[in-house]
Amino acid sequence: MTPDPAAPRDPGVSTAHAVSPDSGEHWTAEGAWRVADGILRIPLPLPMDGLRAINVYVIETDDGLTLVDGGWAIPVARELLERCLRDVGYGLGDLRRFLVTHVHRDHFTMATVLGQELGIDVALGADEKPALDLLNNIEDLTENPFVEVLVSAGAREVAEQWVRMDDDREPPDMSIWAYPGTWLEGDHEIAVGHRTLDAVHTPGHTPGHFVFAERAAGLLFAGDHVLPTITPSIGFTMPEVDQPLGHFMASLTKVRGLPDLTILPAHGPVAPSSHARVDELLAHHERRLDDSARLLGAGPVTAYDVAQGLGWTRHETPFAKLDVFSQGMAAMETKAHLELLVARGRATREAAPDGLRYAAPGS
């Protein structure tokens, strides 16, 4: 569960072509790249994912290593992590703790596997517990948990295709979804060796997302909250939460209130200014809200209807050309925008047999 490749991308250098200043190479290039004194960036692969890699950050201390995020628990990623650590004089035995930004598999699953194997702490936001509860009781589910969300967005046919795709998949390996040793709650400080990190709760992409800011070094371990070349998916959350886009934009504003920091993102190159990027992301979603409001027309229409009138990816790809998974992601993200329009009084909502329907006020 990663940022949505179908989500609208912002202007600028694309993720596919971005060079990171710490390496001087494409941001996915193999290696343990030093981004600051005592901090290394290791890109780990994401097979079959449009993002291609996740950046795992290694913080060196006198007592060993703290990792921010862990990667996806697949053999190729573990082998690369071990190789990159070995190249700079470390091994898995030097790991002491994981600070995980959020529960998605590319961030959490290798952290929890290694945490259990090595007997070290894994910390995760407390508001991710409902998702882990659902995953750890998956045998009790009667259907894909996203079906209800897709149907409410007016995307019943897409939901049926998602169910068929699920039928073709192997059952999930529940060993990679163990509960963390520490639940992060509220904004607080975390000591990492001689460093002090501000753990800042930033719900939106997921309910329990955290970023970690080291003010003294001018660094922001941003997870998927502030990405330099794309926007993270919004609304792709189980169980469903109220106002994910509203939470995301409020969290962006919270991060904007921190000092201007160098962005150490989970996906993409190291970037120079959290303030500049937050401003771009907020402006991007305000434009998307305006575009969605204009497509309400006389209404009432579903989120699926509105999504079909929007362009997707930085190439403004028509909705009809997206694959079925991306169409579902797009419908859920559009629903998140429409729900925020309702909260702001710029749209109305009513229940209908084919899903929630939205209209401009007074129409």
Side-chain angles (χ1 to χ4, degrees), residues 44-58:
L44 297 180
L46 300 177
M48 300 177 294
D49 191 296
L51 289 173
R52 297 181 56 188
I54 175 174
N55 294 318
V56 169
Y57 293 93
V58 180

Side-chain angles (χ1 to χ4, degrees), residues 7-8 202-207 225 231-237 240-253 281-290 292-293 310 332-344 346:
T202 50
H205 178 54
T206 67
H225 183 59
T231 67
S233 62
I234 303 296
F236 182 59
T237 303
E240 186 178 15
V241 297
D242 185 49
Q243 291 298 336
L245 180 60
H247 290 306
F248 178 63
M249 295 179 75
S251 295
L252 286 173
T253 301
L281 289 167
L282 287 169
H284 167 79
H285 282 288
E286 290 294 347
R287 289 192 300 270
R288 202 67 169 177
L289 286 163
D290 289 342
S292 298
L310 297 168
M332 288 187 285
E333 180 150 322
T334 302
K335 180 185 175 186
H337 282 78
L338 295 173
E339 286 294 313
L340 185 54
L341 288 174
V342 171
R344 291 182 175 183
R346 296 181 61 189

Side-chain angles (χ1 to χ4, degrees), residues 262-295:
T262 297
I263 304 168
L264 306 183
H267 309 284
V270 173
S273 172
S274 58
H275 284 182
R277 185 56 181 155
V278 165
D279 290 345
E280 291 171 354
L281 289 167
L282 287 169
H284 167 79
H285 282 288
E286 290 294 347
R287 289 192 300 270
R288 202 67 169 177
L289 286 163
D290 289 342
D291 291 342
S292 298
R294 281 192 290 271
L295 287 167

Side-chain angles (χ1 to χ4, degrees), residues 5-363:
R9 300 181 183 226
D10 300 299
V13 177
S14 71
T15 311
H17 299 100
V19 171
S20 194
D22 53 332
S23 65
E25 300 186 39
H26 190 273
W27 72 274
T28 63
E30 179 180 326
W33 306 106
R34 192 164 295 280
V35 298
D37 182 36
I39 297 176
L40 303 164
R41 178 179 66 87
I42 300 179
L44 297 180
L46 300 177
M48 300 177 294
D49 191 296
L51 289 173
R52 297 181 56 188
I54 175 174
N55 294 318
V56 169
Y57 293 93
V58 180
I59 304 175
E60 300 170 309
T61 77
D62 291 339
D63 184 47
L65 307 176
T66 291
L67 270 58
V68 178
D69 286 332
W72 184 1
I74 50 177
V76 65
R78 177 173 177 146
E79 291 163 9
L80 182 56
L81 176 62
E82 291 189 71
R83 183 163 67 248
C84 289
L85 288 174
R86 189 165 57 246
D87 287 346
V88 289
Y90 296 113
L92 294 182
D94 294 302
L95 273 56
R96 298 292 180 267
R97 175 167 57 173
F98 284 94
L99 300 175
V100 181
T101 58
H102 62 293
V103 76
H104 286 169
R105 67 182 181 182
D106 53 325
H107 298 255
F108 178 67
T109 58
M110 190 144 70
T112 195
V113 167
L114 290 176
Q116 294 174 86
E117 181 179 317
L118 301 171
I120 62 176
D121 188 49
V122 176
L124 180 73
D127 287 342
E128 307 290 36
K129 188 175 183 297
L132 284 178
D133 287 342
L134 189 153
L135 285 162
N136 279 277
N137 293 280
I138 203 162
E139 68 280 355
D140 296 333
L141 293 177
T142 57
E143 65 177 3
N144 183 310
F146 289 109
V147 165
E148 185 177 350
V149 185
L150 287 167
V151 170
S152 72
R156 184 177 296 276
E157 289 185 9
V158 172
E160 291 170 353
Q161 292 181 73
W162 276 35
V163 168
R164 287 196 289 273
M165 288 191 298
D166 261 2
D167 291 341
D168 295 333
R169 292 193 181 108
E170 292 291 327
D173 177 4
M174 297 317 301
S175 69
I176 68 175
W177 296 108
Y179 290 96
T182 297
W183 292 110
L184 303 175
E185 298 189 70
D187 299 351
H188 60 283
E189 293 183 347
I190 298 176
V192 180
H194 69 277
R195 301 173 184 273
T196 298
L197 303 185
D198 288 325
V200 183
H201 185 206
T202 50
H205 178 54
T206 67
H209 194 291
F210 269 79
V211 302
F212 304 98
E214 188 184 2
R215 296 173 189 244
L219 302 172
L220 179 69
F221 298 91
D224 283 1
H225 183 59
V226 183
L227 297 170
T229 58
I230 58 174
T231 67
S233 62
I234 303 296
F236 182 59
T237 303
M238 60 176 189
E240 186 178 15
V241 297
D242 185 49
Q243 291 298 336
L245 180 60
H247 290 306
F248 178 63
M249 295 179 75
S251 295
L252 286 173
T253 301
K254 180 194 276 192
V255 170
R256 185 61 169 80
L258 297 172
D260 197 12
L261 305 170
T262 297
I263 304 168
L264 306 183
H267 309 284
V270 173
S273 172
S274 58
H275 284 182
R277 185 56 181 155
V278 165
D279 290 345
E280 291 171 354
L281 289 167
L282 287 169
H284 167 79
H285 282 288
E286 290 294 347
R287 289 192 300 270
R288 202 67 169 177
L289 286 163
D290 289 342
D291 291 342
S292 298
R294 281 192 290 271
L295 287 167
L296 292 177
V301 292
T302 67
Y304 184 70
D305 295 330
V306 174
Q308 292 178 72
L310 297 168
W312 299 90
T313 81
R314 68 169 43 244
H315 302 295
E316 292 294 304
T317 303
F319 182 89
K321 292 188 176 182
L322 299 177
D323 62 76
V324 67
F325 180 77
S326 296
Q327 286 184 349
M329 297 280 280
M332 288 187 285
E333 180 150 322
T334 302
K335 180 185 175 186
H337 282 78
L338 295 173
E339 286 294 313
L340 185 54
L341 288 174
V342 171
R344 291 182 175 183
R346 296 181 61 189
T348 61
R349 181 209 315 111
E350 63 182 22
D354 60 347
L356 298 174
R357 286 188 164 268
Y358 301 84
S363 62

